Each structure stands twice: as structure tokens, then as C-alpha cells.
Amino acid sequence: MRRVLTGTVAARGMALGRARLVQPSQFAIDERPLSAEEVEAEVKRLDEALAAARAELADLHDKLHGALAREVGEFLDAHSMLLSDPELVAGLRDLVRKGRYRAGAALKAQRDRLVAVFESMDDPYLRSRREDIDHVIARVHAALVRQTSREERKLAARVGEILVSDAIAPAELANLSRHGLLGMVASSGSPYSHSAILARSLRLPMLVGAHQALTEIQDDDLVLVDGERGEAIVHPTAQDLARYRAWQRDAAREGQRLASLAGARTLTRDGHEVHLFANAELPEEVAQARALGAAGVGLYRTEFLFLMRNVLPDEEEQYAAYRDLVLGMGGLPVTIRTLDLGADKADATGLALAAEPNPALGVRGVRLSLRRPAVFATQVRAILRASCYGRVRVLVPMVSGVDELEAVRELVRLCARDLRSEGHEIPEHCEIGAMVEVPAAAIGVRALLARADFAAIGTNDLAQYVLAVDRNNDALGALYDPLHPALLRLIAYVIAAGRRARKPVSLCGEIAGDVRFIPLLLALGLEEFSMHTGQILAVRDRIAGLHRGKLRALAPRLLRAATRDEVERILAACNGG
Ligand code: PEP
Ligand code: MG
């Protein structure tokens, strides 16, 4: 019987396929005590995860070469020693055998205990080694999670399927899309999560917050994901299928109409030129960005190189990826953002901390990179080497103050010096910019711009931090509002600061590619938009219908508005000029 579930659209489009359910429980740490019969099997799981983590470290060690080999090697050796430490291993086994802890809970308990010991030490060096504990435990935990979720991954990785789950990590989604996944219905989550962003760039229709999905949909049910209306239709009727075919025809027609805008300049109705950049993560997107006439790549999220795998990419591998990106853009500027792991972008390599109490406010982005100098230097070296092939701009995520930017600049300087001494020809100046996505960075943007070459406003995070609304929590849905007057004022302030400092300021959050927000952003003075390649033509088309002068004249009223409704009324009255 036909059933309709409603949800929030995270990625538009429609998809028809068979449902594949993934139940959520195995992703959480299970705190329930083991029964006596379960104990030995759990010890075996734990031992296997420890062995897998040790093998990963050995593998990483074997792959080391180049200038960083010694430094990184030492750090890997320290981790291998910890992993083989009889006290650590015996302690974990004891927790499972005597305490009846499950492996995940034992890891957590052991970590907490060791961290407390390290933190009570007087020696600041030894105290700082607690990081190693987190790293090692996270690696074992990742191996444990992989053990339990491998079966699920296999289940979901068939062609022609719609994934139905509570939520999905970006790494899983990337993996599944390569195996023929068609669309996704999640019972929780938000359209501003990283998975939603990835779904849009992969063009996988996605609904989030479809609360009944896991109870109302069964494995193998035929499901039509309607990412236009925000519906998942279980057992669609002939009428639904006719609508699906009509949508396919319309989408093809609209695609043809917009195709005539490929390669064109982006001009407002009153002839003002606006620059559209691409947020590109995948090689195909780079080719598409160029073909559509993007002004460059405004955001390349390097974490996607790290998310799809269990072992950290080495310098050569990263270099090859960045070099191909630069070459692919044929001389247009390319903005490579340094690693932004952490929060919902937890990787499988154990680099990001697995169990922070408040990960969005935790060791994320540049904070993580600065605590992992060897990993960060590897990335910076790869970026610098790629910068020989075209204009590269280095973008630093989650900056909250000038010190972080200065620390990155210093690391870039040291890496460039080493590379030159090794015979590489590295350009004299490396453009370094700050993401403005933490309120402190927005409020302090003038100081940042005095030291940065450019800035990029990340409204996905700026909204969550300004409004204190977790971007992944669907229970807060309507509160996560890019039209909130407080946010508009901050965005306008940052854009104006850029103009005053004569430094480029772009916006690369999701709203830059959402045609509904274009009039507002033009009104606030934005000149550089960065978006999924799939949105470039629609945004160019929208801009062609807007009168920038008239929109700019609305800015003072928009910035005085007290509510989102007022903002909408002001914009509607003008209707784009
Ligand atoms: C942002 O926060 O707006 C942004 C572009 O970064 P990400 O979505 O990767 O956090
Ligand atoms: Mg961000």
C-alpha cells in the first residue's frame, strides 16, 4: 500500500529505487554489561581491533619517506609502543573479562583513566602526551566500528538502492555513492550537515528528518525519493511514477536551457559583474567547474581525501590530487582548504578525536592541524608543491584568532624553505586566507584581514555558532536560520571589512548556491560566491534577473530588521528590482 513519509529536503532531485535499511545501534558506544557467555567473543573482537590498529601503524611506517620520515616515524613508533603496552592491553582485557565491559566501553574507560593520569603530571611534555592516548584509542575504536559495520556497508552497497538510515557519515556516503547508491532517506540529520553537502555535490537526492523512515520502510520496498516536495513515497502508484518521469523530462529541459549560460559572464540586470567560484571535491567537479565558466575553485575541502579511507594519504598522494586540481583549472585560482576534520567529519584513520564531549566546539579544523604538526606539514608541503602549476590560495578552517593564522603562515614558511632546499621551485608568496565561520573571526575580521590575503565566509558553521544551533540536529530545524538578522549583520560586517581592507571576501557556505538567498547576498554587497558546480548555472540565471543597485539600496533596512519575516518582506517588496 502506498505510504508517504515527509522529511526536509537536503539534496534536491528525485530517485526511484529499492530500500536498504541500516539500523543505527552499532555506531554508538554500547554501555550495557556483557553476559558471561559473551565475554570471550568480546575479548576476541577487542584483540582483533588492536591487531588491526597495529597493522595500520606498521603499514603507515613502511610508507614513510622524504624529509618528514624521521619526525612522523617517531610519532608512529610512540603509538605502536602504546598499542603494545602490556599494561594497556591487560587493562582493556580485564575491563572486558572482570568488569563485563563491551570493547567500545572498555576503550573509553581505559582512555579516561589514562588521560587522568597524564593530566595530573607536572611535566608539561609528559602531560601533552595524552594526545597520543586519544589518537591510539581512536584508532582502535575505528577498527572496532569497522568490524561491526562492514556487514552493513556490504548490505547497502548495491546498485539501484535508496539508503534508509538514522544518519550517515560523509565517509560512508562517499563510499556508497561509488557503489551505485541512488538516494538517501535519513530519519534524523539536517540539510546543513556535511553529509547533506556531500549528497548535493554527488547529486544524490536526500531527505533528512523523515522520522518514521526506519519503522515505516522495509528492506526492498520500492521507494520514490521526492527531493522537490520533501517526500519519500513507499510503493509509489502509476501516478507517482508518471510524475517522476515528468520530472525527469523537465529536469532535462531545464538543464538544456541553462546549458546556454555555460561559459558566460555573470552579470546582474544593471550590468554589474559577479564572480562565481566552485566548491569542488571530486575530479569530475573540477572539469565541470571549468566547463561552466567558474571563476576558479573557491573551496576545495581536502578532508574528503582523508574521509574515504583508513590510512592517512601521504605527501605524494596529496600532491598528485592538488596538482591535478590546479592543472584542471587551467590557471584559474584554486582555493585549497587545509584539513577540516573533527565534529561530524570524523575520519576512519583515527586522526580526529573520536569521543569529544562537544565535538563542534572541540579539536576541529586548524586546531587539529596545529596539534598534529607532522600531518599538517605533510599537507602544506603537498599544497606548496602543487602551487608550482598555477595560482593556489591556502584557506584555513575554523580560525578563531590571528595567532592561528600566524602559526599557519610560519609553518608554510618553514615548509617552503625545506622544499626549496630540496630543490623544488616554490613561488615566493603563498596566499593565505581565513575561513570566517567562528563568531570571533567575524567580529575580529579586521585584524584577520590585516594579516590574511583573503577571507571566505563559511555560513554553514557561522550560523551554528552564532545561533548556538547544532547544524546536524534536526530537532532544532527552524532555529538554524540563515536569514536570522544577527547573522545578516555579521555577514554584512565581514563583507564591508573586506572592501575597506581591499582584500577579497567570498562566501562558500551552502546559501551561496541557493537561489533563494542570492538577492539577499547581493544586497549585502557580496561579489564572490562559491557553490557546488551543479548550482552555477542556476545562480548565474538568477543573478541575470536581479538589479544590484536597487538591492544594495535595501541594505540599511535589511540590517535594521528585527525578525526574519521582516527581512523576507523587505526582499519580497523589491522582488529583485
Ligand atoms: C561552512 O562552514 O560554511 C563551510 C563552507 O565549511 P564546511 O561546511 O565544510 O564546514
Ligand atoms: Mg565550516
Side-chain angles (χ1 to χ4, degrees):
M1 233 232 326
R2 178 182 191 268
R3 251 166 305 135
V4 179
L5 312 184
T6 54
T8 305
V9 176
R12 293 181 58 192
M14 290 178 92
L16 179 67
R18 283 169 295 115
R20 180 61 53 206
L21 263 70
V22 176
Q23 296 295 342
S25 54
Q26 72 273 10
F27 294 113
I29 289 185
D30 195 342
E31 306 271 6
R32 289 169 305 150
L34 292 164
S35 64
E37 304 80 67
E38 288 173 313
V39 166
E40 282 315 307
E42 197 66 3
V43 172
K44 186 162 170 284
R45 269 188 74 220
L46 174 69
D47 285 346
E48 282 170 6
L50 286 165
R54 275 185 215 115
E56 276 175 26
L57 284 174
D59 193 37
L60 271 176
H61 207 291
D62 289 347
K63 289 198 177 131
L64 283 180
H65 52 84
L68 287 168
R70 216 178 117 239
E71 192 184 345
V72 183
E74 280 171 8
F75 141 99
L76 289 178
D77 286 344
H79 288 189
S80 297
M81 267 168 64
L82 254 175
L83 262 183
S84 304
D85 182 77
E87 217 173 301
L88 177 94
V89 176
L92 284 167
R93 289 197 189 123
D94 265 5
L95 282 167
V96 177
R97 286 213 173 96
K98 297 187 188 143
R100 299 276 171 93
Y101 280 63
R102 282 166 207 270
L107 281 169
K108 183 172 176 303
Q110 186 74 321
R111 177 218 168 255
D112 293 348
R113 196 177 63 76
L114 290 170
V115 163
V117 173
F118 273 76
E119 282 186 341
S120 65
M121 290 175 176
D122 285 336
D123 182 335
Y125 173 77
L126 285 178
R127 225 173 26 234
S128 75
R129 302 325 298 162
R130 60 150 287 189
E131 257 181 57
D132 293 324
I133 303 283
D134 277 332
H135 190 114
V136 166
I137 296 283
R139 185 179 289 283
V140 182
H141 192 253
L144 256 185
V145 171
R146 278 202 300 281
Q147 283 178 355
T148 49
S149 61
R150 192 173 299 139
E151 197 47 37
E152 298 293 344
R153 264 204 288 272
K154 249 192 259 158
L155 274 177
R158 291 192 216 142
V159 176
E161 288 182 340
I162 307 283
L163 188 72
V164 181
S165 92
D166 64 331
I168 184 162
E172 297 281 339
L173 188 61
N175 187 29
L176 294 178
S177 81
R178 287 188 293 187
H179 289 91
L181 185 74
L182 290 175
M184 160 95 209
V185 179
S187 59
S188 65
S190 117
Y192 292 92
S193 70
H194 287 103
S195 297
I197 291 171
L198 187 61
R200 287 192 282 276
S201 86
L202 294 167
R203 293 167 187 253
L204 285 176
M206 180 182 199
L207 295 187
V208 294
H211 302 294
Q212 312 299 327
L214 282 166
T215 46
E216 292 286 313
I217 304 178
Q218 313 283 322
D219 259 336
D220 284 324
D221 279 351
L222 194 65
V223 176
L224 177 62
V225 180
D226 185 340
E228 301 296 319
R229 296 186 181 181
E231 291 176 352
I233 302 168
V234 192
H235 303 307
T237 59
Q239 226 175 354
D240 294 318
L241 298 181
R243 200 162 54 76
Y244 171 54
R245 284 192 298 274
W247 172 83
Q248 284 180 311
R249 276 194 303 274
D250 289 350
R253 213 173 297 130
E254 179 65 357
Q256 276 168 7
R257 186 183 76 77
L258 291 177
S260 66
L261 296 175
R265 287 169 72 200
T266 308
L267 298 171
T268 60
R269 200 143 67 74
D270 48 338
H272 186 88
E273 179 152 23
V274 172
H275 302 284
L276 305 188
F277 289 79
N279 290 359
E281 277 93 47
L282 309 166
E284 322 64 282
E285 291 173 328
V286 175
Q288 205 195 4
R290 179 119 181 271
L292 296 178
V297 168
L299 175 62
Y300 178 92
R301 291 176 163 99
T302 56
E303 52 275 14
F304 287 97
L305 269 178
F306 289 65
L307 285 174
M308 296 187 202
R309 45 190 304 149
N310 302 330
V311 176
L312 292 175
D314 63 12
E315 182 180 321
E316 287 310 311
E317 188 180 344
Q318 291 189 61
Y319 160 65
Y322 307 150
R323 180 202 54 202
D324 290 351
L325 165 73
V326 175
L327 292 175
M329 287 310 286
L332 293 171
V334 163
T335 313
I336 302 181
R337 186 171 74 182
T338 60
L339 199 52
D340 186 21
L341 282 180
D344 62 331
K345 287 184 280 196
D347 64 328
T349 65
L351 189 60
L353 306 191
E356 286 184 286
N358 204 344
L361 304 182
V363 184
R364 227 203 108 165
V366 69
R367 304 169 182 183
L368 183 64
S369 293
L370 290 174
R371 283 170 189 226
R372 301 275 189 265
V375 176
F376 197 20
T378 302
Q379 174 165 56
V380 168
R381 282 173 59 93
I383 297 175
L384 286 172
R385 285 173 58 196
S387 73
C388 298
Y389 300 96
R391 183 166 160 211
V392 169
R393 312 194 309 168
V394 176
L395 179 58
V396 187
M398 287 295 291
V399 170
S400 56
V402 291
D403 291 351
E404 286 158 334
L405 205 60
E406 301 276 270
V408 174
R409 203 177 270 293
E410 179 59 9
L411 187 88
V412 168
R413 193 185 66 75
L414 292 175
C415 289
R417 189 199 59 189
D418 287 354
L419 284 166
R420 287 192 193 102
S421 71
E422 289 164 31
H424 296 277
E425 284 190 22
I426 306 298
E428 244 346 278
H429 180 67
C430 171
E431 289 176 74
I432 300 180
M435 285 289 293
V436 178
E437 53 187 346
V438 172
I443 295 162
V445 71
R446 290 163 84 166
L448 280 178
L449 279 171
R451 290 157 179 87
D453 297 291
F454 67 98
I457 308 175
T459 41
N460 303 340
D461 278 312
L462 191 57
Q464 88 163 337
Y465 297 126
V466 167
L467 304 172
V469 176
D470 180 348
R471 69 194 257 187
N472 300 306
N473 186 343
D474 67 323
L476 300 166
L479 286 178
Y480 185 101
D481 181 8
L483 286 182
H484 192 292
L487 191 61
L488 301 193
R489 278 174 223 164
L490 266 189
I491 295 173
Y493 178 71
V494 175
I495 295 171
R499 196 171 312 115
R500 211 169 303 124
R502 297 181 193 281
K503 302 263 173 87
V505 169
S506 62
L507 194 153
C508 57
E510 291 300 293
I511 61 172
D514 188 330
V515 289
R516 293 170 305 171
F517 296 110
I518 302 299
L520 172 72
L521 296 174
L522 280 178
L524 299 183
L526 189 70
E527 311 249 351
E528 292 189 5
F529 296 66
S530 194
M531 65 202 69
H532 297 290
T533 49
Q535 286 306 107
I536 288 178
L537 296 182
V539 170
R540 186 172 286 150
D541 188 44
R542 181 78 182 109
I543 286 176
L546 297 170
H547 192 290
R548 182 175 184 270
K550 290 188 185 165
L551 284 168
R552 286 293 285 142
L554 297 179
R557 278 177 63 206
L558 285 169
L559 296 179
R560 277 197 306 273
T563 63
R564 135 188 266 269
D565 287 352
E566 212 178 311
V567 170
E568 281 190 324
R569 271 199 305 276
I570 298 167
L571 286 169
C574 165
N575 200 17

